């Protein structure tokens, strides 16, 4: 019988310090075994997560921050905050690490071919949204969707993730990018203001549009009414949830919201689905 | 198929099983009994009153279980390190619990190989419960003292003999060689079964309990009923259907293990950011009750409680789940 708790061996191929405050780092992991790589990419879609494992420090779940076409690696962007994340922040390219996944449902992007896509992200919750945007920007995939709009807010310019890649988006005509920071900073030529305000200002059309919204709870709280006003029904607003997890496969019990397990039934839900669940977040 | 076994022959039969398998049975330890592997058939105590203090769930989900031995970064799985076992004298409530947990561990996209292997390697010789005690309420939650679901064999005590209702091939392997029970013995076993269930009170109604609990999610009901709860988690550790676990690395032993965990502890849902979706006892008590009487029902169409009564019997402040469900059913928002 397959053992879903058993991690596979990986290696860190590259690390990137993402933010000026050094608190967020990206890790690009490559597979030690070809069969594992094939299995992973046969299943992976943006919005899914993996359990990373450093023996002795335990396991922790992280959303995948890369699209399959980017290469044979899997990217994770990790905030230095707890025992596991402090340990991984000390690791370097060439180091061995273990992984389980991909886990969870991911963004059901295939259901929305022919639609406009609106991505709204705030702070370091942008990781799986970045994977989604990157996925959509692959030439053979991009043509299957209409307009692609990304609204991405951070407290200050130095806290944006994936700065180099995102800079290239400005040069493309198949993605509308709106970056916003909280307060004016010299040299900043994009938006200034909180994500909900900027969203209201840009006012993307809700017609034939599906939205994907991830960010800190306070951003979500104030963005939802704006989307509602713009005419987005809750069935067309997706978000990704986080909770403390252990097994990642719906067995260990702790990440439930009502009868749903975030690891197995999520982490992606529509707000219509969340309305049906008890408020246990 | 009904077989008959004189009680005096039981030790011999156990001895025979012990040649092939590890046999677990309730063994007296001071003032309580606990399922232990037998080294001598005489250790088996099938006359234990009420229930064993610990449910036999630990024989399937050990309190601490090695999942992997880790060598040079390779995780070597341990699920195959279990051989043939017989559990003798398990009651229907605890057997039912194993069946309910099969839903958790063996259905859906992922199966738990540790649970699966132990279930596969185990024969359950269930002892029907002729004398349910004060704290038992199996009949209120869709079961009964002689519920045969999940049993490989059901033993019914008819006085000097046991009538063995052999349910399948696993049971046949242990009891097939015994003489068939007579018509009279089978009739007597039916009387015993009917009398046991008839004598049990029904402390609450489960009709509509799921929807009622959902409707109370944000109500004053939970702050009120949790007031005396210490959050000690004893109810969850002794509960045969509580299965939540933590996964930790024992680096010095080179093992990744899973340990029982409990939704009654703050740290269970505490996130690295500091946020906790269940910051007080109110949310935690609500989670425990709603998991069993609402979420489990939603997922498996069964109540996730078997009425074994351990949480009632061993709660240090006498919180009684029967009373909680009764109060929930009667609760009206002021």
């Amino acid at each position: 019988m397959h053992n879903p708790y058993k991690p596979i061996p990986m290696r860190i191929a590259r690390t990137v310090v993402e933010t000026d405050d050094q608190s967020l780092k990206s890790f690009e992991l490559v597979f030690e075994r070809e069969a594992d790589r094939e299995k992973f990419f046969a299943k992976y879609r943006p919005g899914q997560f993996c359990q990373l494992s450093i023996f002795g420090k335990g396991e922790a779940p992280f959303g995948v921050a890369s699209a399959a076409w980017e290469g044979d690696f899997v990217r994770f962007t990790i905030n230095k905050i707890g025992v596991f994340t402090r340990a991984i922040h000390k690791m370097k390219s060439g180091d061995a690490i273990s992984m389980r996944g991909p886990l969870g449902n991911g963004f059901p992007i295939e259901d929305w071919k022919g639609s406009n896509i609106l991505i709204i992200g705030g702070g370091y919750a942008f990781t799986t949204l970045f994977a989604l945007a990157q996925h959509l920007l692959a030439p053979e995939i991009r043509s299957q969707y209409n307009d692609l709009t990304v609204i991405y807010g951070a407290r200050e310019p130095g806290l944006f993730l994936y700065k180099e890649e995102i800079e290239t988006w400005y040069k493309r005509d198949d993605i509308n990018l709106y970056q916003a920071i909280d307060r004016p900073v010299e040299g900043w030529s994009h938006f200034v203001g909180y994500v909900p305000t900027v969203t209201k200002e840009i006012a993307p059309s809700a017609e034939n549009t599906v939205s994907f919204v991830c960010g800190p709870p306070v951003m979500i709280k104030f963005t939802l009414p704006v989307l509602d006003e713009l005419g987005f029904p809750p069935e067309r607003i997706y978000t990704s949830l986080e909770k403390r997890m252990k097994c990642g496969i719906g067995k260990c019990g702790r990440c439930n919201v009502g009868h749903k397990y975030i690891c197995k039934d999520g982490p992606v839900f529509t707000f219509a689905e969340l309305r049906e669940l008890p408020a246990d977040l | 198929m009904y077989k008959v076994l004189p009680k005096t022959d039981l030790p011999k039969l156990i001895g025979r099983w012990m040649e092939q398998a590890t046999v677990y049975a309730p063994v007296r330890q001071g003032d309580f009994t606990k399922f232990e592997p037998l080294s001598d058939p005489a250790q088996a105590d099938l006359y234990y009153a009420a229930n064993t203090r610990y449910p036999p769930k630990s024989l399937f989900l050990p309190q601490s279980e090695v999942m992997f031995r880790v060598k040079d970064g390779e995780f070597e799985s341990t699920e195959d390190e279990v051989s043939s076992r017989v559990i003798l004298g398990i009651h229907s409530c605890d057997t039912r619990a194993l069946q309910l947990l099969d839903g958790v561990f063996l259905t859906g996209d992922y199966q738990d190989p540790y649970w699966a292997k132990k279930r596969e390697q185990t024969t359950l010789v269930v002892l029907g419960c002729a004398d349910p005690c004060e704290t038992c309420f199996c009949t209120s939650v869709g079961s009964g003292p002689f519920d045969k679901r999940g049993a490989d064999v059901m033993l019914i005590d008819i006085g000097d003999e046991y009538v063995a209702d052999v349910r399948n091939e696993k049971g046949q392997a242990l009891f097939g060689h015994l003489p068939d029970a007579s018509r009279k013995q089978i009739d007597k076993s039916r009387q015993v079964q009917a009398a046991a269930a008839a004598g049990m009170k029904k402390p609450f109604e489960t009709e509509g309990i799921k929807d009622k609990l959902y409707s109370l999610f944000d109500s004053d009901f939970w702050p009120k009923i949790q007031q005396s709860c210490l959050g000690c988690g004893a109810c969850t550790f002794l509960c045969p259907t509580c299965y939540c676990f933590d996964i930790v690395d024992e680096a010095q032993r080179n093992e990744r293990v899973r340990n029982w965990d409990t939704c009654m502890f703050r740290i269970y849902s505490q996130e690295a950011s500091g946020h906790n979706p269940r910051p007080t006892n109110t949310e935690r008590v609500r989670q425990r009750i709603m998991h069993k009487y609402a979420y489990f029902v939603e997922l498996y169409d069964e109540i996730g409680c078997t009425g074994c009564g351990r949480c009632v019997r061993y709660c240090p402040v006498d919180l009684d789940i029967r009373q909680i469900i009764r109060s929930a059913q009667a609760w009206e928002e002021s």
Side-chain angles (χ1 to χ4, degrees):
Chain A
M1 185 182 264
H2 170 69
N3 188 331
Y5 302 101
K6 185 171 172 147
I8 56 168
M10 303 289 284
R11 195 160 294 281
I12 299 174
R14 193 166 87 102
T15 68
V16 180
V17 176
E18 295 286 359
T19 55
D20 288 356
D21 67 358
Q22 313 274 314
S23 62
L24 279 111
K25 244 189 202 181
S26 286
F27 298 84
E28 292 173 4
L29 310 189
V30 289
F31 297 82
E32 294 280 52
R33 296 187 298 232
E34 173 60 17
D36 290 338
R37 188 192 66 80
E38 277 173 25
K39 242 165 117 184
F40 180 90
F41 284 108
K43 197 182 164 200
Y44 169 63
R45 71 171 176 193
Q48 290 187 301
F49 69 96
C50 292
Q51 285 280 1
L52 296 186
S53 194
I54 302 169
F55 183 69
K57 302 293 177 188
E59 278 190 308
F62 299 99
V64 177
S66 50
W69 64 261
E70 290 187 60
D72 278 347
F73 62 85
V74 193
R75 181 188 296 118
F76 301 93
T77 303
I78 297 175
N79 186 22
K80 191 164 63 176
I81 192 166
V83 174
F84 180 92
T85 56
R86 276 175 215 288
I88 195 170
H89 264 251
K90 287 187 193 138
M91 293 174 77
K92 298 188 170 52
S93 51
D95 286 351
I97 192 163
S98 309
M99 183 179 97
R100 289 193 285 136
L103 301 166
N105 58 357
F107 298 116
I109 190 70
E110 312 81 38
D111 298 351
W112 298 98
K113 285 181 182 166
S115 303
N116 303 312
I117 309 293
L118 170 64
I119 293 173
I120 302 178
Y124 48 77
F126 194 65
T127 58
T128 55
L129 293 179
F130 178 71
L132 177 62
Q134 288 283 74
H135 169 77
L136 291 169
L137 287 172
E140 71 280 11
I141 292 167
R142 184 65 193 87
S143 57
Q144 298 170 11
Y145 298 86
N146 272 330
D147 287 354
L148 171 60
T149 303
V150 175
I151 300 170
Y152 178 19
R155 274 207 315 280
E156 49 195 78
L159 295 182
F160 282 105
L161 309 173
Y162 322 119
K163 295 183 192 68
E164 266 176 47
E165 291 90 339
I166 285 177
E167 206 50 48
T168 67
W169 292 358
Y170 279 112
K171 299 189 185 97
R172 300 179 66 133
D173 57 7
D174 58 355
I175 176 168
N176 311 308
L177 173 63
Y178 303 95
Q179 276 179 288
I181 55 172
D182 288 0
R183 271 177 290 280
V185 167
E186 210 173 313
W188 178 254
S189 57
H190 307 297
F191 284 78
V192 175
Y194 296 122
V195 165
T197 321
V198 173
T199 306
K200 202 168 181 173
E201 206 176 318
I202 296 160
S205 163
E207 205 188 319
N208 191 29
T209 307
V210 59
S211 60
F212 299 87
V213 186
C214 297
V218 63
M219 183 204 102
I220 302 272
K221 186 178 165 190
F222 290 105
T223 303
L224 283 180
V226 174
L227 290 176
D228 181 52
E229 221 171 278
L230 290 168
F232 284 88
E235 294 79 19
R236 280 197 273 130
I237 309 173
Y238 288 90
T239 192
S240 182
L241 300 181
E242 285 185 332
K243 258 196 175 187
R244 188 180 174 113
M245 288 178 191
K246 287 289 175 174
C247 74
I249 55 172
K251 308 293 183 204
C252 80
R254 79 199 59 234
C255 72
N256 77 300
V257 180
H259 69 287
K260 298 278 188 193
Y261 290 90
I262 290 183
C263 66
K264 164 175 83 75
D265 303 309
V268 175
F269 295 92
T270 65
F271 278 93
E273 290 170 322
L274 292 181
R275 269 189 195 170
E276 299 296 311
L277 297 175
D280 198 17
L281 279 163
Chain B
M1 182 202 318
Y2 292 94
K3 297 286 183 181
V4 68
L5 173 71
K7 284 183 175 173
T8 47
D9 288 355
L10 181 65
K12 203 170 74 191
L13 185 62
I14 296 173
R16 190 180 152 126
W17 300 340
M18 283 169 67
E19 290 165 19
Q20 317 277 337
T22 309
V23 180
Y24 293 83
V27 171
R28 183 149 294 280
Q29 298 189 337
D31 63 347
F32 65 95
T33 49
K34 192 179 174 196
F35 282 89
E36 293 282 2
L38 301 181
S39 52
D40 176 348
Q43 292 172 308
D45 177 4
L46 297 191
Y47 298 96
Y48 61 105
N51 252 325
T52 53
R53 182 179 292 180
Y54 296 92
K57 77 171 170 187
S58 61
L59 301 180
F60 298 87
L61 182 71
Q63 187 158 10
S64 185
E65 175 173 37
V66 177
M67 301 179 90
F68 299 100
R69 293 180 217 290
V70 187
K71 230 194 269 164
D72 305 325
E74 273 292 318
F75 288 75
E76 289 167 16
S77 170
T78 61
E79 78 249 28
D80 291 327
E81 296 173 11
V82 54
S83 51
S84 189
R85 320 170 317 158
V86 174
I87 299 183
L88 168 68
I90 179 174
H91 280 169
S92 289
C93 47
D94 290 339
T95 310
R96 185 87 193 105
L98 297 175
Q99 272 199 312
L100 293 175
L101 294 190
D102 283 346
V104 175
F105 287 116
L106 302 181
T107 65
D109 291 340
Y110 300 98
Q111 277 88 55
D112 186 293
Y114 305 93
W115 180 271
K117 191 77 187 181
K118 292 189 194 73
R119 287 287 272 148
E120 182 191 303
Q121 290 287 336
T122 307
T123 305
L124 298 175
V125 181
V126 179
L127 177 64
C129 196
D131 192 19
C133 65
E134 270 301 292
T135 48
C136 291
F137 57 100
C138 53
T139 51
S140 300
V141 287
S143 184
F146 286 89
D147 190 339
K148 290 174 186 162
R149 287 174 292 176
D152 297 310
V153 177
M154 163 74 73
L155 296 181
I156 303 134
D157 185 337
I158 57 163
D160 293 335
E161 296 103 11
Y162 291 112
V163 167
D165 181 354
V166 182
R167 315 278 305 162
N168 56 26
E169 278 176 22
K170 270 182 171 177
Q172 178 79 14
L174 300 185
F175 285 83
H177 65 289
L178 296 176
D180 290 343
S182 68
R183 191 71 255 163
K184 209 173 139 194
Q185 288 165 327
I186 294 171
D187 285 346
K188 186 151 185 210
S189 78
R190 292 207 170 116
Q191 287 160 17
V192 170
Q193 294 175 57
M200 289 184 74
K201 284 181 246 159
K202 200 167 183 201
F204 55 80
E205 263 312 321
T206 52
E207 180 77 31
I209 185 63
K210 179 186 83 173
D211 294 336
K212 180 71 187 191
L213 288 172
Y214 276 124
S215 78
L216 295 179
F217 192 84
D218 289 315
S219 91
D220 294 337
F221 175 71
W222 300 108
K224 181 170 178 286
I225 64 136
Q226 64 81 36
Q227 278 168 351
S228 61
C229 176
L230 302 172
C232 71
C235 50
T236 58
F237 291 128
L238 297 177
C239 175
T241 64
C242 272
Y243 60 87
C244 289
F245 59 86
D246 192 6
I247 300 175
V248 295
D249 290 344
E250 294 290 350
Q252 287 172 327
R253 292 176 358 216
N254 288 314
E255 290 168 350
R256 174 161 289 174
V257 302
R258 67 170 164 198
N259 298 325
W260 287 353
D261 205 344
T262 168
C263 59
M264 296 309 299
F265 290 173
R266 181 186 52 80
I267 194 140
Y268 175 76
S269 49
Q270 176 83 49
E271 295 165 17
S273 64
H275 173 68
N276 193 338
R278 297 183 196 127
T280 73
N281 220 30
T282 295
E283 293 86 13
R284 300 196 280 268
V285 169
R286 181 178 68 193
Q287 164 62 22
R288 172 171 148 71
I289 302 297
M290 288 197 66
H291 187 196
K292 297 193 185 303
Y293 282 85
Y295 309 150
F296 210 92
V297 181
E298 189 91 44
L299 285 170
Y300 304 105
D301 212 15
E302 303 268 12
I303 291 171
C305 167
T306 68
C308 76
R310 288 184 182 88
C311 59
V312 178
R313 187 170 276 261
Y314 296 110
C315 176
V317 293
D318 291 334
L319 260 176
D320 186 332
I321 196 167
R322 299 170 299 183
Q323 180 61 45
I324 292 174
I325 299 299
R326 207 157 48 223
S327 306
Q329 292 282 39
W331 186 266
E332 293 199 19
E333 217 49 53
S334 52

